[in-house]
Amino acid sequence: MATEVRQVVRHQPPDWFTECYTQSTNAERQRSASHQVRQESRFLRNETDSQTKWDQYSNDVRLADRVDHIRKWKEILERTLGQLDQEIADLSEAKELTEQALEAKNLPTDVAIECLTLREGRKNIDVVQDEPENQLHKEVEVIDGIKKILQQRVSDSFEQLCLLQEARQQVQADLQDKNIALGIDIDQYNLSDRSPNISYKPDALRVPKGSTTPQQWEDFSRYNKERAEAEMKSSNRLREQIHHTLQQTANDQEAQKQATEYAFRKRIHEFERAKDELEWQKKNTEDEIAELENDIRGIEEAIRNKIRPTKKAETRLENRTYRPNVELCRDAPQYGLVDEVKQLYASKHALEEKLKQAQHALDGLYKNLQRLNDDIALKANSLRLDNQCLDVRKKLNPAPKTNVEHNLNLTGIERMKSAILA
């Protein structure tokens, strides 16, 4: 059976080479396009990754700055709230002080009269119309005048306290909102890509109702702060007005009290100086008496000590008169013994005269010592009376309840505080 041969297209060699070239060129072009896509995708991947990280970093910085800003205003509001609380407490205290002003005015009058009565116990030359007596009379007059003045200031305190409370509530509400916002922003700052509580949110780009601008946010807190400061200034002025009446009378009384006590202290100092001078003179006089008595004993001893040398010299002279004949020579020993005896006589006479003078001086010292003792007794009596007056005047100082208050009273800090409040 004859075999049928299938017809096959036969290509020419140039076609074959052309086809090979075409396939090679297409492959290279495809690879080039793929390479371009790969490079662009890598660039885009790197660019988007960098942009994402940069955006996250920028927003972390913004959140950190926002947290710092909120903290700054939180600290300002906390400080303002503390100042408001202190001002409310101070104004309340000032209000109470105005209601207690007349309670202690009878005691100073009684004390001044008691001091005048005590000083009537002075004697002799110490009964002097001195500065303490004049100041005591003046103190009685000043206190009587003060009793007629203190009757007025309390009415504006309640209204100002209400305004302070209203400002405080506004600041406290703002501070509470700041604390909540601060907690939220700190939580957002601490979020990371691996935090477990992150998820897609519906309509994340929406603007919440009631949103404010940063300027409005800051203006609101600044208004609360400035309003609180304005109310505190008004409260401070009111406290000054409240204390004015109290201090106007209290200062007059305190000034007179200080003047009276200064006069007492000055007079006591004068008495102490006079008493110390007299006691010093007494001590010196007693020392001088002791020295003089010792010297008198020394003079008497010296007179007694001249007896034997005189006897010795006279015996020598007498015995030398028994020299025989020409040996009875007025030689140098003779002249020396004669001079010695004369000198001993003169020394004894001088010592006896000095003994008389010393005994006379001793009598004068004893009389003067008695006068000093009498004057010291007068000064001690007057000094005791004036110190007793100062002790009586301690009633005018409030008794400290604790050691700290006692030290504050001694150092004058309480008086300084009162002056500052005024």
Side-chain angles (χ1 to χ4, degrees):
M1 181 177 178
T3 301
E4 185 181 354
V5 177
R6 184 171 57 90
Q7 294 293 328
V8 178
V9 179
R10 302 286 181 174
H11 298 283
Q12 295 298 320
D15 295 333
W16 181 83
F17 282 109
T18 301
E19 181 64 23
C20 288
Y21 176 77
T22 300
Q23 293 295 333
S24 176
T25 302
N26 289 336
E28 290 179 358
R29 186 170 59 250
Q30 193 66 36
R31 288 196 307 273
S32 177
S34 176
H35 177 74
Q36 181 68 24
V37 170
R38 287 191 300 106
Q39 293 299 321
E40 290 176 355
S41 65
R42 289 178 182 178
F43 174 79
L44 180 61
R45 187 173 70 251
N46 292 333
E47 184 180 15
T48 55
D49 185 57
S50 297
Q51 183 65 41
T52 299
K53 291 181 178 179
W54 175 254
D55 290 342
Q56 288 180 341
Y57 172 77
S58 297
N59 284 317
D60 285 344
V61 171
R62 292 188 183 98
L63 281 171
D65 291 341
R66 181 60 176 170
V67 167
D68 290 339
H69 201 186
I70 294 175
R71 278 177 176 162
K72 184 191 78 170
W73 272 105
K74 176 175 174 290
E75 292 172 357
I76 292 174
L77 292 175
E78 285 176 345
R79 185 167 57 251
T80 303
L81 185 63
Q83 292 171 350
L84 277 169
D85 290 337
Q86 184 62 45
E87 186 62 34
I88 289 172
D90 291 342
L91 184 57
S92 298
E93 181 182 359
K95 181 175 176 292
E96 292 176 2
L97 289 176
T98 58
E99 299 170 351
Q100 301 171 358
L102 294 176
E103 293 183 1
K105 300 306 176 186
N106 292 328
L107 179 61
T109 303
D110 296 339
V111 167
I113 294 175
E114 184 176 355
C115 289
L116 288 170
T117 304
L118 282 173
R119 297 189 94 241
E120 293 298 319
R122 294 174 295 171
K123 299 177 182 178
N124 298 339
I125 190 63
D126 285 353
V127 183
V128 180
Q129 186 177 356
D130 50 9
E131 187 63 17
E133 184 173 344
N134 294 334
Q135 291 297 335
L136 284 170
H137 286 295
K138 185 177 179 181
E139 187 174 36
V140 173
E141 296 175 2
V142 170
I143 295 173
D144 289 340
I146 289 175
K147 287 180 178 179
K148 301 176 183 178
I149 299 174
L150 292 174
Q151 297 296 333
Q152 317 178 19
R153 276 253 186 219
V154 178
S155 59
D156 295 335
S157 301
F158 180 76
E159 181 181 354
Q160 187 60 41
L161 282 171
C162 291
L163 293 174
L164 285 172
Q165 289 289 352
E166 184 179 346
R168 183 186 183 281
Q169 290 174 0
Q170 191 69 24
V171 170
Q172 190 173 27
D174 193 5
L175 185 58
Q176 290 174 351
D177 292 344
K178 292 287 186 295
N179 285 325
I180 295 173
L182 181 63
I184 292 173
D185 280 351
I186 289 176
D187 290 341
Q188 307 323 300
Y189 177 78
N190 292 328
L191 284 178
S192 67
D193 294 341
R194 297 184 180 276
S195 296
N197 55 343
I198 59 176
S199 63
Y200 287 109
K201 303 296 180 183
D203 196 11
L205 299 179
R206 73 185 184 281
V207 177
K209 185 178 180 180
S211 298
T212 59
T213 65
Q215 187 63 43
Q216 291 173 331
W217 174 85
E218 187 165 351
D219 289 343
F220 179 75
S221 296
R222 182 175 288 108
Y223 169 77
N224 291 333
K225 171 180 173 291
E226 291 176 351
R227 181 191 175 189
E229 290 176 345
E231 296 300 339
M232 286 189 290
K233 287 182 181 179
S234 298
S235 175
N236 188 51
R237 287 193 296 269
L238 179 59
R239 285 194 297 115
E240 290 176 355
Q241 294 171 0
I242 289 174
H243 282 283
H244 176 71
T245 302
L246 296 175
Q247 288 300 125
Q248 184 176 4
T249 56
N251 286 344
D252 292 341
Q253 181 180 343
E254 181 65 20
Q256 185 55 48
K257 173 177 172 289
Q258 294 294 334
T260 303
E261 293 183 355
Y262 172 76
F264 267 112
R265 290 193 296 269
K266 182 179 179 182
R267 187 58 175 163
I268 287 173
H269 178 66
E270 292 172 353
F271 275 125
E272 287 176 344
R273 287 185 59 186
K275 183 172 175 288
D276 290 344
E277 174 67 21
L278 292 173
E279 288 177 345
W280 184 78
Q281 293 294 344
K282 175 186 175 181
K283 179 181 179 302
N284 288 342
T285 301
E286 291 174 343
D287 292 342
E288 184 63 27
I289 288 173
E291 291 287 338
L292 186 55
E293 288 177 343
N294 187 52
D295 286 349
I296 289 174
R297 288 191 294 271
I299 293 172
E300 292 173 345
E301 181 66 21
I303 292 174
R304 288 193 297 270
N305 290 338
K306 294 295 182 289
I307 294 175
R308 288 187 174 278
T310 303
K311 289 180 179 180
K312 175 184 174 182
E314 289 180 353
T315 300
R316 283 178 172 178
L317 282 174
E318 180 62 25
N319 289 338
R320 294 189 91 237
T321 60
Y322 295 107
R323 290 176 294 172
N325 302 324
V326 75
E327 295 301 325
L328 190 63
C329 178
R330 296 183 62 82
D331 51 9
Q334 182 71 19
Y335 286 111
L337 289 169
V338 170
D339 290 340
E340 182 181 0
V341 171
K342 290 180 179 179
Q343 185 61 41
L344 286 169
Y345 289 165
S347 297
K348 182 180 179 182
H349 179 72
L351 289 170
E352 289 172 346
E353 287 296 323
K354 188 56 65 179
L355 179 61
K356 292 179 182 178
Q357 295 177 8
Q359 290 173 341
H360 180 73
L362 183 62
D363 292 339
L365 287 174
Y366 273 115
K367 292 178 181 179
N368 190 60
L369 181 61
Q370 183 60 40
R371 289 194 296 269
L372 288 174
N373 286 329
D374 294 340
D375 205 4
I376 288 172
L378 288 177
K379 296 297 182 290
N381 177 65
S382 299
L383 186 60
R384 178 183 59 81
L385 292 174
D386 280 355
N387 279 320
Q388 190 173 350
C389 288
L390 278 184
D391 290 337
V392 170
R393 293 184 65 82
K394 289 180 181 179
K395 299 176 184 178
L396 301 178
N397 299 323
K401 299 179 182 178
T402 64
N403 291 332
V404 173
E405 293 179 354
H406 177 69
N407 293 333
L408 291 176
N409 189 34
L410 288 178
T411 56
I413 295 178
E414 289 295 326
R415 292 191 295 273
M416 292 168 60
K417 177 181 177 183
S418 176
I420 292 172
L421 285 174

